[in-house]
Structure formats: structure tokens, C-alpha cells
Amino acid sequence: MAYPVVRMRRLRKNQIVRNMVRENSFNIENFIYPVFVVHGNGIRNEIPNMNDNYHLSLDKVEKEIEELRLAGINKILLFGVPEKKDSLGTEAYSENGIVQQAVRKIKGSFNDVMVITDVCLCEYTQHGHCGIIKNDYLVNDESVELISKTALSHVEAGSDMVAPSAMLDGQIKAIRSSLDESGFSDIPIMAYSAKYASTLYANFFKYGTGSSVQFGDKKTHQMDFANGNEALREIALDIEEGADIIMVKPAMMYLDIVYRAKSEFNIPLAVYNVSGEFEMVENISRDLRWDLKIELMTAFKRAGADMIISYHAKEIARNLKN
Ligand code: PBG
Ligand code: ZN
């Protein structure tokens, strides 16, 4: 049957009808909000180009979490900016590293907030690479050992879920077995499974964590943005190695990957709406900004995302509540 019997516009006639047939929506529960912790005291500095996202010293973290909770956000993704960097990223897996301290503090004060920790070494190495460099090359297995050590130290500090972001081979397997051996078999892993080497992380490095690479790039481990099939392979491997949640990153330009991943594997899937995407959206004209954010978050869900990691989350949650 077709026109004139079929008229698609009948179900778009007014808002009530449109809402009735609406297929996708998002809610506050879907959001994970990134939080950046730094050493020092009394620091709450807005990160450049990232409106209303801050560097927080430990004495300012609880107030921020309190505000997030009031807005309805109860899941954070924690990033740390260390005091000292070295070639082995030592502070990443130190018991008194900035993330470990922050986790203990937050978990000590809030029992209804899920603390997820980003696990990588690039914030902690002086060269900005995600692990150990030998002959200008990021070596895999030795780096995975340190990454796995980092994940364990986060969990020992109280992290509720670890999110390994380095895209090294075998990192999920290594983390899973080290957590299991240490009695943390109930701690889930959210794997940055299909993470592309993207221009859109630049602001995060430059201003978010201050960890831009000092030489080379990350193309020997992060994915080529031209590839789709390879992403599905990466995801399949992470699932096999024990990932509980898979992630596609960045989000906006990679919704084909989200759709394919969800269709093929049907396991919980997160998208990371990264810093460059945030910048793009924040730079559209003011009167379009809010509607665009809603369109964008809905598009993530329509493509198949269950969770959305976004720097917009606080603002969206606040506005939805009002
Ligand atoms: C790695 C990490 C990165 C981002 C989150 N975790 C950068 C990278 O691995 O290249 C980027 C996030 C953003 O741009 O918002 N620890
Ligand atoms: Zn990294």
C-alpha cells in the first residue's frame, strides 16, 4: 500500500501523536560525566574550550559530585593530572596517585555514586604515549603489564569499574585476570574497544590532561578512521577477553560503527562524545545549541548506544530536571 492511502504525516500531526510514536529517547541514567582531578588545594579551574568542565583539586571534588548528584548524574569517569611524569608512568599505578586518592575520597563520601576510572598511562608519561617507548615505538606487552597494574590499583582504591583506553592488544585479558586473581571478579570492565586515532582529542590532551605526545602519534595502536570492519574485530576480541561493556570513540562521526556493533554483538555499548565534539557543538550559534544537543544525544541512542559519556551531561541533566 502507498499514497494516497498511506500518509506518513498522519502520525506527525501534533506533538501528542509524535510523542506517542517516538522510537528513541535518552534519560539522565544514560550519562557518564568525565571529571578531572589535579593536585593542589582550592583549585576549580575551567578547562579551556570546555565550558563548565573543571580541573578540581581533591578538596573541591566532593562539592562537584554533590552538584552532579543533585542534577541526577550518579556516574563519573575519572581522569587524573599527575604532579610528576616519567618514562614508566609511575604515578598511574601508585597507591597515592591522584586518581587513587580521588577514588578513596569520593567513595568515602558517597555510597550512591559509581566511580569509573580511565586506565591509561599517557597522562603519566613525560612523552605522552600510552605506555613504554622503545626505539620510538610503543611496546605492547610490557605496557600492558603496567596498564593492568594501574587498573588493579584503581580497584584497590575503590573504583567501581575500570575503563582501559589504550587500545593495546591483550589489555582486557590482562586486566580481567589480574582483577580476578586479586579477588575482584565482580568489578566490570568498560573497554574502549573501537577507539579511533582522531583529531577530536586535541583539546583533551592540550588542556584537559596536559598530555600531548612529545613525538610521533598514536596511530600504531589507535584505529585508522577509514576502517569499519576492523572495529568489529577489535570489539569481538575485547568481548572474548572479558569486556562487560564496549565503547566506540569518538561518537558523532562513528555512528555506523555503533550501529554495527550493537546489531552484531548486542552487549552494553557506550559512546564517548569527545572533547572536539563538545567544542564543535558549543561553537554553533547560541540559539541552536540546546536543540542540537538533544538531537545529538537522541542520535546516539538511535544508533544503539546505551551509555553516553559526555561533557554536556551536567548541563543536559540540569535542564531536563527543570
Ligand atoms: C586516554 C584518553 C583519551 C581521551 C580519553 N581517554 C585520549 C587518547 O587516548 O587519545 C580523549 C577524550 C576526549 O577527547 O574527550 N587516556
Ligand atoms: Zn593513552
Side-chain angles (χ1 to χ4, degrees):
M1 237 187 302
Y3 175 87
V5 176
V6 173
R7 288 178 183 269
M8 294 302 283
R9 293 181 60 198
R10 281 184 204 119
L11 296 183
R12 292 179 203 139
K13 199 167 3 184
N14 59 48
Q15 196 64 49
I16 296 178
V17 178
R18 287 193 294 272
N19 286 350
M20 183 177 73
V21 299
R22 173 156 248 205
E23 297 174 37
N24 292 287
S25 60
F26 62 87
N27 64 50
I28 294 170
E29 298 295 326
N30 303 131
F31 286 114
I32 299 170
Y33 185 69
V35 169
F36 295 82
V37 286
V38 300
H39 288 279
N41 253 305
I43 297 168
R44 185 174 189 264
N45 296 336
E46 190 169 82
I47 300 170
N49 305 317
M50 298 188 67
N51 316 336
D52 208 24
N53 285 268
Y54 301 89
H55 282 141
L56 299 159
S57 54
L58 293 179
D59 57 318
K60 296 281 186 182
V61 161
E62 284 153 304
K63 182 146 185 294
E64 178 77 12
I65 308 280
E66 189 59 53
E67 280 176 28
L68 291 169
R69 271 163 90 247
L70 287 175
I73 292 179
N74 58 8
K75 292 171 285 298
I76 62 163
L77 177 60
L78 205 53
F79 292 97
V81 182
E83 215 150 42
K84 291 188 297 285
K85 298 173 187 251
D86 57 35
S87 60
L88 296 176
T90 312
E91 212 180 310
Y93 40 88
S94 144
E95 195 187 331
N96 272 319
I98 185 68
V99 165
Q100 289 80 353
Q101 289 188 49
V103 171
R104 282 197 293 270
K105 178 143 210 170
I106 296 165
K107 293 303 291 181
S109 304
F110 304 94
N111 55 18
D112 55 357
V113 170
M114 180 170 188
V115 176
I116 307 161
T117 49
D118 181 272
V119 177
C120 198
L121 297 185
C122 51
E123 292 90 347
Y124 302 89
T125 53
Q126 86 277 36
H127 43 61
H129 284 283
C130 303
I132 299 169
I133 297 288
K134 284 188 181 165
N135 301 321
D136 285 354
Y137 185 72
L138 175 63
V139 296
N140 196 85
D141 299 6
E142 290 164 65
S143 301
V144 165
E145 269 179 49
L146 297 184
I147 282 169
S148 160
K149 214 167 139 176
T150 304
L152 180 59
S153 83
H154 288 179
V155 172
E156 282 170 343
S159 173
D160 295 302
M161 176 158 79
V162 289
S165 61
M167 287 293 283
L168 297 190
D169 291 325
Q171 59 173 2
I172 305 304
K173 183 177 180 185
I175 292 172
R176 184 70 274 156
S177 63
S178 112
L179 293 182
D180 289 353
E181 280 164 21
S182 307
F184 296 115
S185 56
D186 57 342
I187 296 292
I189 301 174
M190 177 166 74
Y192 285 69
S193 302
K195 173 168 170 178
Y196 287 87
S198 171
T199 313
L200 295 168
Y201 311 146
N203 199 75
F204 173 95
F205 288 134
K206 195 163 178 203
Y207 298 114
T209 54
S211 57
S212 308
V213 288
Q214 299 302 302
F215 61 88
D217 54 41
K218 294 185 170 180
K219 290 180 184 167
T220 73
H221 52 113
Q222 296 180 351
M223 280 188 56
D224 181 344
F225 53 70
N227 297 353
N229 297 332
E230 186 188 344
L232 293 206
R233 229 179 134 197
E234 283 281 5
I235 291 166
L237 289 167
D238 277 0
I239 294 171
E240 205 175 302
E241 291 181 25
D244 299 279
I245 298 174
I246 55 169
M247 192 199 298
V248 175
K249 175 186 171 185
M252 285 165 65
M253 297 187 293
Y254 297 85
L255 293 187
D256 56 325
I257 310 301
V258 173
Y259 181 79
R260 290 175 66 184
K262 192 66 188 182
S263 315
E264 175 121 355
F265 302 108
N266 197 26
I267 91 164
L269 190 157
V271 288
Y272 198 139
N273 178 210
V274 302
S275 57
E277 299 175 309
F278 179 86
E279 271 183 275
M280 289 199 283
V281 169
E282 290 292 322
N283 281 306
I284 199 169
S285 63
R286 182 166 275 287
D287 53 330
L288 302 180
R289 226 170 276 166
W290 175 252
D291 288 343
L292 177 59
K293 288 172 193 176
I294 300 302
E295 183 175 341
L296 186 57
M297 299 303 142
T298 309
F300 293 153
K301 295 287 295 192
R302 192 193 62 238
D306 301 295
M307 286 139 277
I308 301 168
I309 303 168
S310 179
Y311 304 102
H312 298 295
K314 184 166 49 167
E315 183 205 359
I316 292 175
R318 275 188 182 145
N319 287 350
L320 290 182
K321 275 227 148 167
N322 294 335

